[in-house]
Amino acid sequence: MSALEQYELSPARQLTEAEKKLVWQKPASHKISEEELRISKEVKRNWNRGEMKIANILLEGDAGSGKTQLAKALSANFGLPYTKVTCFADMDKSDIIGAILPVISSEQLEKLEPAEQAVMKALYESDGFQSAAEILMDVLGMTREQAGLKMKQLLKHASEHANGQAVEYRFYPSEIVRAYQQGYLLEIQEPNVIRDAAVLMALNSALELDGSINLPTEMIRRHPDFIAVITTNRSYAGARPLNEALRDRVQHSEKMDLPAKETMMERAMSKTGYGDEEVLSLLAESIMVLDHAARANAIKGVAGMRSLFYWTDAVAGGASAKESLYHKVIYKITTDPEEIKILEEALEKHGLIASLDGVADEVKKNEKITML
């Protein structure tokens, strides 16, 4: 039995062709983690247990610890379409529920700027499958935050060109509402950056197991298949902690740290195709030491799996392990001279600096053997 068959939550549900494309497909490089297995088993076990149902999940850890990868893997396991929303500081309620835009005449449309004309036409022609913010992002190539601001500008401009005439309005749901109403797995990235208390209240209300969202056009209830996966970076000194009311609505939490060294090596090998286990062990151990040193000394940067992948790839290409260490790992953590010195001392204490010096020679020696 495949993972999808084992953990699929609603086998009888018929997805549309478009929705099937949103269900994440695991690449060959994907390695199942303990966290993935634990969450999949817990959600499946409790899925039909009423108030014991697990449908809000928190993944908290440093950047590069695999939070988004895990959220996507859950989409594959549960057989649910995956989508996401990236939160930003100035989100307002329209970013949570969606926006109401005027439908203006073709004559009035021609008075708008070309870029605004293109967006409004795309909005009018949409079938409701994409959120308004997504449409703006696609047409104008902007970030979600920029799309939110642009939506407000469009509303103002369209109203100004109405010339006092009666205007028809159309509601465009947010990505949150779309996932909430249609039963998708929604990754909510970094909700701890939201500043507006009213926005947090709206989000908190939506995450109730029997919750609802009051839209301008109707009241919608939470789809029974809707799963919210909240991903947030571990708080550093001075950072805003995750809202307590939001945290209280979570039924399962995972503290996302670096995996065991063997797992790190396996993932790096699968991702890069590089197979020297001795070198991989050295690189993985270096990442672990740097990660520990950064935490112990309140250095805000992160040494994670992404750094390991790119560092491994550079070394496999013949780069000096010691030199590329700075460009692929250390300078991603910090460029402060004093903090760099702390990290270097941590590596030296574990005898890793000397070991890294010999990696390039070992790689070249192996290349010569292969050629022979």
Side-chain angles (χ1 to χ4, degrees), residues 21 27 29 73 102 104 133 149 179 188-189 209 218 231 240 246 248 280 289 314 317 343 349 353 358 364:
K21 293 178 181 178
S29 60
I104 60 178
L149 179 61
I188 305 174
Q189 298 180 336
L209 285 180
E218 61 180 324
T231 57
R240 184 183 293 109
L246 193 62
D248 187 53
L280 285 169
V289 168
L343 298 177
K349 181 180 178 181
I353 291 291
K364 289 177 181 177

Side-chain angles (χ1 to χ4, degrees), residues 8-11 13 43 46-50 52-56 78 80-81 177-185 206-212 220-228 251:
E8 192 171 8
L9 299 177
S10 298
R13 178 177 172 181
V43 172
N46 288 276
W47 193 242
N48 296 307
R49 295 184 63 203
M52 296 304 294
K53 182 177 183 178
I54 295 174
N56 298 328
F78 298 148
L80 296 177
V177 165
R178 186 163 73 97
Y180 189 87
Q181 189 172 30
Q182 299 184 30
Y184 297 170
L185 184 145
L207 291 182
E208 295 283 359
L209 285 180
D210 59 349
S212 60
I220 61 170
R221 301 203 67 81
R222 178 174 181 151
H223 191 287
D225 285 349
F226 174 69
I227 291 181
Q251 295 98 23

Side-chain angles (χ1 to χ4, degrees), residues 77-128:
N77 290 353
F78 298 148
L80 296 177
Y82 166 86
T83 188
K84 71 176 181 179
V85 59
T86 302
C87 300
F88 53 94
D90 295 323
M91 284 182 78
D92 60 25
K93 289 188 73 172
S94 69
D95 297 306
I96 298 294
I97 64 174
I100 298 178
L101 289 178
V103 180
I104 60 178
S105 67
S106 57
E107 293 80 11
Q108 294 165 342
L109 192 63
E110 294 300 322
K111 297 178 182 179
L112 300 177
E113 294 294 325
E116 295 176 347
Q117 289 183 36
V119 170
M120 295 301 285
K121 288 177 180 178
L123 285 169
Y124 296 158
E125 293 169 3
S126 70
D127 57 5

Side-chain angles (χ1 to χ4, degrees), residues 189-305:
Q189 298 180 336
E190 304 301 333
N192 54 320
V193 304
I194 299 173
R195 289 195 292 232
D196 191 330
V199 175
L200 285 171
M201 285 179 63
L203 190 56
N204 290 342
S205 176
L207 291 182
E208 295 283 359
L209 285 180
D210 59 349
S212 60
I213 298 178
N214 192 10
L215 303 179
T217 55
E218 61 180 324
M219 171 146 340
I220 61 170
R221 301 203 67 81
R222 178 174 181 151
H223 191 287
D225 285 349
F226 174 69
I227 291 181
V229 179
I230 300 167
T231 57
T232 180
N233 287 341
R234 185 175 291 115
S235 296
Y236 293 106
R240 184 183 293 109
L242 185 65
N243 178 268
E244 287 301 321
L246 193 62
R247 188 183 289 273
D248 187 53
R249 283 162 175 76
V250 168
Q251 295 98 23
H252 184 96
S253 300
E254 289 284 345
K255 179 174 175 285
M256 300 290 289
D257 293 315
L258 285 174
K261 186 168 76 169
E262 292 73 19
T263 303
M264 293 174 67
M265 292 168 57
E266 188 178 47
R267 290 182 183 175
M269 188 183 301
S270 178
K271 187 73 91 173
T272 65
Y274 181 63
D276 190 319
E277 293 189 6
E278 186 176 342
V279 175
L280 285 169
S281 176
L282 177 60
L283 302 187
E285 186 177 350
S286 299
I287 291 287
M288 296 173 76
V289 168
L290 290 170
D291 178 64
H292 181 270
R295 293 175 190 274
N297 293 278
I299 299 173
K300 292 187 177 182
V302 175
M305 290 301 300

